[in-house]
Amino acid sequence: QVQLVESGGGLVQAGGSLRLSCAASGSIFSINAMGWYRQAPGKQRELVAHITNGGSTNYATSVKGRFTISRDNVENTVYLQMNSLKPEDTAVYYCHANGPAVGYWGQGTQVTVSS
């Protein structure tokens, strides 16, 4: 089992920045990649950014150039630096970890961007 705890969400004005953190614990040796997803009201959950154990990253087109995903393997933590935030970035952001046969989700953290 892997436990994921997110933090760092909040309310910010358009153009502002936030950094989300996701701390992993438990059977972390089984994780091969981690990512951030988001879900806005009335919409499906979507991938925001993804990072492999080797450090390869990919981003949703809507956040490229504004968001950066990174990981600290010593602290077992993944970060999402979000700059130039827009009202359409408002959503609950979820951390996700890929195991060999199962995925794990955090509880989510609310990000609200006011115009």
Side-chain angles (χ1 to χ4, degrees), residues 79-110:
Y79 303 97
L80 185 67
Q81 178 66 44
M82 305 185 293
N83 298 329
S84 303
L85 283 161
K86 304 175 182 180
E88 51 264 42
D89 294 319
T90 295
V92 178
Y93 284 69
Y94 297 90
C95 181
H96 181 264
N98 283 334
V102 65
Y104 303 93
W105 293 97
Q107 81 283 359
T109 184
Q110 176 71 45

Side-chain angles (χ1 to χ4, degrees), residues 59-73:
Y59 297 90
T61 301
S62 59
V63 307
K64 278 183 181 177
R66 300 188 297 123
F67 290 11
T68 303
I69 189 170
S70 62
R71 64 190 296 166
D72 182 331
N73 291 327

Side-chain angles (χ1 to χ4, degrees), residues 11-107:
L11 173 65
V12 65
Q13 287 189 333
S17 298
L18 283 174
R19 189 175 82 153
L20 306 183
S21 300
C22 173
S25 61
S27 301
I28 56 176
F29 60 86
S30 67
I31 298 173
N32 52 50
M34 295 186 71
W36 288 95
Y37 289 72
R38 67 185 180 188
Q39 188 167 19
K43 294 188 176 182
Q44 289 189 331
R45 193 171 297 188
E46 61 176 0
L47 176 67
V48 176
H50 180 263
I51 185 166
T52 67
N53 282 358
S56 297
T57 59
N58 67 286
Y59 297 90
T61 301
S62 59
V63 307
K64 278 183 181 177
R66 300 188 297 123
F67 290 11
T68 303
I69 189 170
S70 62
R71 64 190 296 166
D72 182 331
N73 291 327
V74 175
E75 297 294 331
N76 300 316
T77 300
V78 172
Y79 303 97
L80 185 67
Q81 178 66 44
M82 305 185 293
N83 298 329
S84 303
L85 283 161
K86 304 175 182 180
E88 51 264 42
D89 294 319
T90 295
V92 178
Y93 284 69
Y94 297 90
C95 181
H96 181 264
N98 283 334
V102 65
Y104 303 93
W105 293 97
Q107 81 283 359

